[in-house]
Amino acid sequence: MRIHKLSDETIMKIAAGEVITGTYAVVKELIENSIDSNATAINVEIIDGGKSLIKVIDNGIGMNEEEIKYAVQPHTTSKINKIDDLYNLETYGFRGEALSSICRVSRMKITSRTNNEELATMISFIGGKEVNKKKVSASVGTQIEIEDLFFNIPARRKFLKSSSAEGRMVTEIIEKFILSSDTSIVYKRENKEIYNISKDYTLKEKFKILFPELKDNDLIILNKNYNWLKINGIISNPKITRFNRSAQIFFVNGRYVKSGDLFSVFERAYGEMLETRRHPYGVLFIDVNPREVDVNVHPQKLEVKFSDASKLLKLLKTSIREELDNQTEFKLEFYEDNEVKEDIKNTKDSNELEDYRFYENKIKENVEQKETTYNNFLNNDFSIEDSNKKYFNQEKSTFKYNTEQKKLNWENLNESPKSTLKNISKNQIFISNTKDVDDYRIVGIIFKRYIILEFKNKIKLIDFHAAHERVIFEKLKKQFFDKKINTKLLLNPIKIKLDELRKETLKNNIENLKKLGIEIEKKEDVFYIKGVPAEFKIENIENTVFELLDNFRLEGIENMNKIYDNAIATMSCRAAVKTGDNIVGIETLIQNLMDMKLLTCPHGRPIAMDIDLNKLDTYFERK
């Protein structure tokens, strides 16, 4: 094929594919136009996830008939006149291509009226061509309806996600505008009102609506002014975290952006205050001179470049750290058993959306997994006991955290040898049941975390949390695929607070949770945890459910077997013993590890390490 010029229609449809990556992108562009038109109230409605209908109504300055016709033409805009204006932007839009791109790949109807007109103009377009025009009665402002997105590009339409997934992404982008704009927003999805947010709500009020698990005392206000740079927003106390970064939201000059640098600096500011692989909440507004930032580097304007990024990021990190140091302090409180209230909970929230790697899979083909292996842990006698009759409550600022480790017996321990390390003879030798594994002696536990074993020619250190977590994982995984995870009904069902995205995910995954032993009951629009897995206790079941729901949101991205693996790993982590627990049944745990030849926990962390006797002798110059 020789070089030739593409037709205008082909060019526009290619451009539309770059700008319109999904229904959420259409909603984003239309809301940005509404805000740029000085609207103080915006109504958004979608049907079929936005694939069948997107309707956006605002009370902005409106357009007359001539402006409507201009607006759907490529590269027409009211935002800039010359190239220098790109570096002094105070509006969301500027390229003049979004509305024309949307118009070319949908059935669009625009109704708009300016303040000096008595009647509004309504013009209908199909595939970018005007098909109808008339005067109608309407309020000042603009209403845009988009039907049948990509109806004329079937190959592109089939790549739209499911209605549920597209709708979820629209909800997410709506939430960004709720946080960033001083505009009242009403959002309806599938004829149901999801949000009705007044422009008079404070940022903290909005943030708590979007993340209902948060309380006032969980949040810290950030307000820094460096003349050329302003940093405002809300961050969470270091103990209020999630397993992913979905609650970290950044705006630059009011524009929502995604930036790996901002995510990284935000968390580095917390430093050692954060637990491993936990992520704080935060919504931050970074305001700089428009000339110091380039927003014209991404088709959807979701990325930006700063003229002096290192200086800005350094100040951002310093600002967050200073505020954390100033507003975070430790207090100690003690509670008797009957004084511990339901609201004293760690509101750490859900899901770590990371890749679980099981390194021992590489050697599985060389290891014979016998049925007797499973019998060892199905009749497991490994548990923990409360090490104290009191609860130790660590309080950060005014935040209460119950760090008491729950008794995580596996319910079937009646025949278990309740032997603790205290009554194991120092000279007692355990005869291994596993071929090729030497006999060993349990030496003790160090740092309330690691078990020391002595073999003939080496010392083995075992992380008992990682070990217990993996044993539970193997037990649960087999029960899951055998469809034998039993549920224990709760005497008092637990009410759970869900944001809109999790609520939708839960509705679609009630049966999946039931397969994992968690039974959910819905009364009106409120959900309750009615049953939990019967054979072991999960620490903080509400947060575990949050985490599982965030995991199920990956459906369509990950295959379901991987999603179930991740879910079972999450439950195993919640049920395993923790550092400082008084361990019972060490021998059984160790024997299970030997029998199953387990190398890592479900998250890929090593379970044990060996120190060879020859290396010790060499170090101490005994050889």
Side-chain angles (χ1 to χ4, degrees), residues 285-519:
F285 294 84
I286 300 168
D287 293 305
V288 296
N289 188 314
R291 291 189 173 276
E292 303 298 323
V293 59
D294 186 358
V295 300
N296 192 28
V297 295
H298 189 271
Q300 287 88 47
K301 296 168 282 189
L302 291 174
E303 297 176 6
V304 295
K305 285 186 177 180
F306 299 105
S307 61
D308 193 347
S310 60
K311 183 179 179 181
L312 184 148
L313 294 172
K314 183 178 179 180
L315 281 175
L316 176 62
K317 179 181 176 182
T318 300
S319 301
I320 296 170
R321 185 67 186 199
E322 286 178 352
E323 207 63 36
L324 288 170
D325 289 340
N326 291 337
Q327 297 197 36
T328 305
E329 60 181 15
F330 288 96
K331 295 180 183 178
L332 303 181
E333 292 183 13
F334 294 89
Y335 294 88
E336 296 293 340
D337 286 3
N338 58 4
E339 292 177 333
V340 180
K341 304 299 182 182
E342 184 180 349
D343 62 329
I344 304 177
K345 291 176 181 174
N346 191 337
T347 52
K348 292 181 225 171
D349 204 11
S350 45
N351 192 39
E352 178 176 307
L353 305 179
E354 68 172 60
D355 187 22
Y356 294 100
R357 305 177 183 84
F358 305 116
Y359 297 117
E360 67 275 9
N361 284 343
K362 297 177 183 178
I363 65 169
K364 279 264 185 181
E365 57 191 37
N366 300 320
V367 179
E368 183 180 2
Q369 297 288 348
K370 297 182 178 180
E371 184 62 29
T372 53
T373 295
Y374 287 110
N375 292 335
N376 285 328
F377 65 80
L378 286 174
N379 296 309
N380 189 285
D381 57 10
F382 184 62
S383 65
I384 69 170
E385 292 179 342
D386 294 334
S387 57
N388 202 309
K389 289 295 183 181
K390 288 179 178 279
Y391 292 79
F392 174 73
N393 183 56
Q394 174 179 304
E395 188 177 39
K396 199 102 168 173
S397 208
T398 56
F399 320 122
K400 297 181 179 179
Y401 304 102
N402 182 8
T403 60
E404 172 261 341
Q405 301 297 346
K406 299 178 182 178
K407 187 174 183 179
L408 303 180
N409 295 329
W410 283 7
E411 302 293 334
N412 55 347
L413 304 178
N414 293 332
E415 299 123 16
S416 303
K418 297 289 186 177
S419 52
T420 67
L421 196 63
K422 293 178 181 178
N423 51 40
I424 294 176
S425 168
K426 291 184 178 179
N427 296 316
Q428 183 175 352
I429 302 298
F430 290 88
I431 308 302
S432 174
N433 298 326
T434 304
K435 187 178 179 180
D436 299 329
V437 176
D438 295 332
D439 300 335
Y440 58 88
R441 180 173 70 90
I442 300 176
V443 177
I445 295 178
I446 58 173
F447 307 120
K448 300 181 180 180
R449 183 179 300 169
Y450 303 107
I451 302 170
I452 304 178
L453 303 184
E454 178 189 355
F455 290 80
K456 182 178 179 180
N457 295 310
K458 66 181 179 182
I459 293 173
K460 183 183 288 288
L461 298 178
I462 297 175
D463 181 334
F464 64 68
H465 169 76
H468 191 205
E469 181 180 351
R470 185 56 192 275
V471 169
I472 296 173
F473 176 83
E474 294 297 332
K475 171 187 171 72
L476 261 180
K477 192 170 181 179
K478 184 176 188 303
Q479 289 184 340
F480 175 78
F481 286 108
D482 289 345
K483 299 180 180 179
K484 292 181 179 179
I485 297 183
N486 297 317
T487 299
K488 175 178 65 178
L489 295 180
L490 298 175
L491 185 61
N492 297 309
I494 301 170
K495 179 180 177 180
I496 48 178
K497 294 182 178 179
L498 298 168
D499 59 46
E500 289 301 324
L501 296 176
R502 284 181 178 152
K503 192 178 293 184
E504 179 200 350
T505 305
L506 178 55
K507 290 176 182 177
N508 296 330
N509 288 281
I510 287 179
E511 287 303 313
N512 286 331
L513 287 172
K514 194 170 184 178
K515 292 177 184 178
L516 294 169
I518 299 174
E519 190 165 334

Side-chain angles (χ1 to χ4, degrees), residues 127-378:
K129 297 179 180 179
E130 181 181 328
V131 295
N132 189 28
K133 178 183 69 176
K134 61 181 178 180
K135 294 295 181 178
V136 296
S137 177
S139 301
V140 173
T142 300
Q143 173 177 308
I144 298 181
E145 297 176 57
I146 310 294
E147 295 181 338
D148 300 329
L149 187 64
F150 290 123
F151 80 96
N152 53 353
I153 314 180
R156 183 67 183 83
R157 184 176 174 87
K158 75 177 183 180
F159 282 102
L160 290 175
K161 296 180 172 57
S162 67
S163 298
S164 176
E166 291 287 345
R168 186 165 61 243
M169 289 190 289
V170 171
T171 301
E172 289 175 352
I173 203 66
I174 292 287
E175 291 175 346
K176 305 304 185 292
F177 284 109
I178 286 173
L179 291 172
S180 65
S181 68
D182 296 324
T183 307
S184 296
I185 294 179
V186 176
Y187 169 50
K188 290 184 178 181
R189 179 177 170 186
E190 315 304 334
N191 297 312
K192 178 185 176 183
E193 184 174 281
I194 306 299
Y195 290 120
N196 189 339
I197 308 296
S198 168
K199 62 184 178 63
D200 297 323
Y201 285 6
T202 66
L203 179 61
K204 180 184 280 191
E205 288 172 331
K206 292 177 179 179
F207 201 55
K208 285 168 56 187
I209 289 172
L210 301 189
F211 301 101
E213 67 272 17
L214 296 174
K215 303 180 180 66
D216 279 337
N217 289 336
D218 296 335
L219 304 174
I220 296 171
I221 303 298
L222 187 66
N223 191 349
K224 298 289 184 179
N225 190 340
Y226 298 100
N227 294 323
W228 67 278
L229 169 68
K230 293 182 181 179
I231 302 171
N232 301 288
I234 294 173
I235 59 177
S236 69
N237 177 271
K239 292 297 181 182
I240 307 300
T241 56
R242 283 191 161 201
F243 260 122
N244 59 34
R245 295 187 173 94
S246 60
Q248 296 176 10
I249 305 166
F250 303 99
F251 299 92
V252 175
N253 290 351
R255 188 187 303 276
Y256 169 63
V257 298
K258 294 180 178 179
S259 167
D261 287 340
L262 293 178
F263 284 122
S264 176
V265 167
F266 179 58
E267 296 200 355
R268 285 206 311 251
Y270 280 78
E272 75 290 346
M273 294 181 179
L274 287 178
E275 292 183 34
T276 304
R277 297 182 310 175
R278 301 294 304 193
H279 306 284
Y281 292 73
V283 52
L284 293 178
F285 294 84
I286 300 168
D287 293 305
V288 296
N289 188 314
R291 291 189 173 276
E292 303 298 323
V293 59
D294 186 358
V295 300
N296 192 28
V297 295
H298 189 271
Q300 287 88 47
K301 296 168 282 189
L302 291 174
E303 297 176 6
V304 295
K305 285 186 177 180
F306 299 105
S307 61
D308 193 347
S310 60
K311 183 179 179 181
L312 184 148
L313 294 172
K314 183 178 179 180
L315 281 175
L316 176 62
K317 179 181 176 182
T318 300
S319 301
I320 296 170
R321 185 67 186 199
E322 286 178 352
E323 207 63 36
L324 288 170
D325 289 340
N326 291 337
Q327 297 197 36
T328 305
E329 60 181 15
F330 288 96
K331 295 180 183 178
L332 303 181
E333 292 183 13
F334 294 89
Y335 294 88
E336 296 293 340
D337 286 3
N338 58 4
E339 292 177 333
V340 180
K341 304 299 182 182
E342 184 180 349
D343 62 329
I344 304 177
K345 291 176 181 174
N346 191 337
T347 52
K348 292 181 225 171
D349 204 11
S350 45
N351 192 39
E352 178 176 307
L353 305 179
E354 68 172 60
D355 187 22
Y356 294 100
R357 305 177 183 84
F358 305 116
Y359 297 117
E360 67 275 9
N361 284 343
K362 297 177 183 178
I363 65 169
K364 279 264 185 181
E365 57 191 37
N366 300 320
V367 179
E368 183 180 2
Q369 297 288 348
K370 297 182 178 180
E371 184 62 29
T372 53
T373 295
Y374 287 110
N375 292 335
N376 285 328
F377 65 80
L378 286 174

Side-chain angles (χ1 to χ4, degrees), residues 67-170:
E67 288 173 322
I68 294 174
K69 292 181 178 181
Y70 268 131
V72 297
Q73 298 302 312
H75 307 299
T76 56
T77 180
S78 61
K79 318 297 171 58
I80 64 172
N81 288 307
K82 54 186 184 299
I83 190 65
D84 286 348
D85 292 340
L86 285 175
Y87 304 101
N88 197 31
L89 282 174
E90 295 183 357
T91 59
Y92 284 106
F94 54 86
R95 294 188 186 128
E97 54 185 7
L99 205 58
S100 62
S101 296
I102 297 168
C103 186
R104 293 292 180 102
V105 295
S106 68
R107 307 178 199 275
M108 175 187 283
K109 181 165 66 177
I110 301 178
T111 305
S112 192
R113 175 191 157 203
T114 62
N115 195 40
N116 56 5
E117 293 180 303
E118 291 185 4
L119 293 175
T121 301
M122 183 181 74
I123 303 179
S124 299
F125 303 88
I126 297 179
K129 297 179 180 179
E130 181 181 328
V131 295
N132 189 28
K133 178 183 69 176
K134 61 181 178 180
K135 294 295 181 178
V136 296
S137 177
S139 301
V140 173
T142 300
Q143 173 177 308
I144 298 181
E145 297 176 57
I146 310 294
E147 295 181 338
D148 300 329
L149 187 64
F150 290 123
F151 80 96
N152 53 353
I153 314 180
R156 183 67 183 83
R157 184 176 174 87
K158 75 177 183 180
F159 282 102
L160 290 175
K161 296 180 172 57
S162 67
S163 298
S164 176
E166 291 287 345
R168 186 165 61 243
M169 289 190 289
V170 171

Side-chain angles (χ1 to χ4, degrees), residues 601-613:
C601 82
H603 304 89
R605 294 190 300 271
I607 287 174
M609 69 172 287
D610 292 343
I611 303 176
D612 190 75
L613 176 59

